[in-house]
């Protein structure tokens, strides 16, 4: 009677109710945890610390960042060009560009990026950050998880995408209009951007606010 179809697909998932809360995933950092994580990476893995800061400042996807080269960063026009071969968004068949903020420009200049060969990757294990051999596909994530284990933070749902979530929360708290945050993320809709801000809906984000007594 088997018809090469997974029988589990016939079960309506909405009818399954569990008393167990699903594990946390893709959560934005708390500010305290972010400081602790970045301090650890600065001390033990500067290359991954640089990688994470660029993720935070650009909202690039980790897979995109591991494949970008020095030549993709134009410090004069202050633009990062995302080639079609790297970008996840290929429907428009145009190169996407990200603005290089003052903070990112300072970070790149601190590492003297402009002095390196244009074909150097910007995500490597090199002590100079830039080099000809890029990070492996899972290297940044594995190193990041290693830091979480050392800091006993594995249970909080933090992943590399947490830097993107955390960046969006910080932008909103610094009065960025939602439409500007959408553009910064290269999202196609504000609804997609709001997904990255869902952590603001948690009750923990209300702990420093007061409610007038009636």
């Amino acid at each position: 009677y088997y018809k090469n179809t997974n029988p589990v697909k016939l079960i309506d998932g909405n009818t399954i109710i569990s008393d167990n809360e699903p594990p946390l995933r893709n959560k934005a950092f708390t500010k305290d945890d972010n400081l602790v994580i970045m301090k650890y990476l600065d001390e033990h893995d500067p290359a991954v610390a640089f990688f994470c800061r660029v993720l935070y400042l650009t909202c690039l996807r980790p897979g995109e960042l591991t494949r970008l080269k020095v030549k993709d960063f134009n410090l004069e026009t202050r633009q990062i060009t995302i080639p079609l071969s790297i970008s996840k968004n290929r429907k428009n068949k145009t190169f996407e560009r990200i603005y290089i903020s003052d903070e990112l420009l300072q970070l790149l200049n601190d590492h003297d990026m402009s002095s390196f060969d244009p074909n150097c990757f910007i995500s490597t294990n090199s002590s100079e950050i830039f080099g000809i051999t890029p990070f492996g596909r899972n290297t940044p994530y594995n190193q990041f998880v290693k830091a979480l284990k050392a800091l006993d933070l594995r249970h909080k749902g933090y992943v590399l995408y947490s830097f993107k979530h955390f960046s969006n929360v910080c932008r909103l708290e610094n009065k960025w209009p939602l439409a500007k945050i959408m553009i910064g993320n290269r999202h196609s809709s504000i609804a997609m951007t709001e997904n990255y801000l869902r952590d603001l809906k948690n009750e923990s984000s209300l702990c420093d606010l007061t409610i007038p007594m009636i």
Side-chain angles (χ1 to χ4, degrees):
Y1 298 101
Y2 180 61
K3 297 182 179 180
N4 200 31
T5 301
N6 184 351
V8 177
K9 291 184 177 180
L10 301 176
I11 302 174
D12 183 1
N14 293 325
T15 65
I16 301 175
I17 301 175
S18 173
D19 291 332
N20 298 320
E21 188 173 4
L24 298 175
R25 181 72 175 169
N26 286 346
K27 304 296 291 183
F29 303 111
T30 66
K31 292 180 180 179
D32 289 341
D33 284 348
N34 180 257
L35 288 174
V36 170
I37 291 170
M38 293 310 302
K39 183 176 185 295
Y40 179 92
L41 290 174
D42 283 334
E43 294 174 355
H44 297 88
D45 202 335
V48 174
F50 174 84
F51 183 89
C52 292
R53 283 194 172 91
V54 177
L55 286 182
Y56 170 79
L57 291 170
T58 61
C59 287
L60 280 160
R61 301 175 182 89
E64 293 172 334
L65 184 52
T66 57
R67 299 171 63 189
L68 286 176
K69 296 181 178 181
V70 169
K71 66 181 180 182
D72 298 317
F73 288 69
N74 190 324
L75 302 186
E76 293 185 3
T77 62
R78 297 182 66 161
Q79 286 185 326
I80 304 170
T81 299
I82 316 297
L84 282 175
S85 60
I86 295 175
S87 176
K88 182 180 178 181
N89 302 325
R90 302 177 184 176
K91 292 182 179 180
N92 295 330
K93 296 184 178 181
T94 57
F95 285 10
E96 295 182 300
R97 290 178 171 81
I98 296 174
Y99 178 70
I100 297 177
S101 64
D102 291 344
E103 296 79 9
L104 178 57
L105 182 65
Q106 183 63 54
L107 179 65
L108 299 176
N109 286 334
D110 286 346
H111 290 282
D112 200 21
M113 187 187 76
S114 60
S115 68
F116 286 83
D117 187 289
N119 287 308
C120 282
F121 289 92
I122 71 159
S123 301
T124 74
N125 283 318
S126 171
S127 59
E128 296 179 314
I129 304 298
F130 313 103
I132 59 173
T133 304
F135 272 143
R137 180 180 179 88
N138 296 318
T139 300
Y141 175 74
N142 291 336
Q143 294 300 99
F144 174 69
V145 169
K146 182 179 178 181
L148 295 182
K149 287 181 178 178
L151 298 169
D152 193 26
L153 293 174
R154 284 297 306 275
H155 61 289
K156 293 195 172 185
Y158 296 152
V159 294
L160 281 179
Y161 263 85
S162 295
F163 286 98
K164 191 171 182 177
H165 286 272
F166 183 58
S167 179
N168 282 296
V169 171
C170 290
R171 294 177 192 209
L172 188 64
E173 290 182 341
N174 279 276
K175 311 302 182 183
W176 278 50
L178 197 55
K180 296 291 186 181
I181 298 177
M182 181 191 74
I183 294 171
N185 282 271
R186 296 173 290 144
H187 288 160
S188 58
S189 68
I190 287 181
M192 187 180 298
T193 303
E194 288 177 331
N195 185 51
Y196 280 84
L197 300 169
R198 62 181 181 267
D199 287 318
L200 287 182
K201 299 177 183 178
N202 295 340
E203 64 273 11
S204 59
S205 66
L206 307 178
C207 60
D208 57 345
L209 303 177
T210 60
I211 304 174
M213 180 57 72
I214 60 172

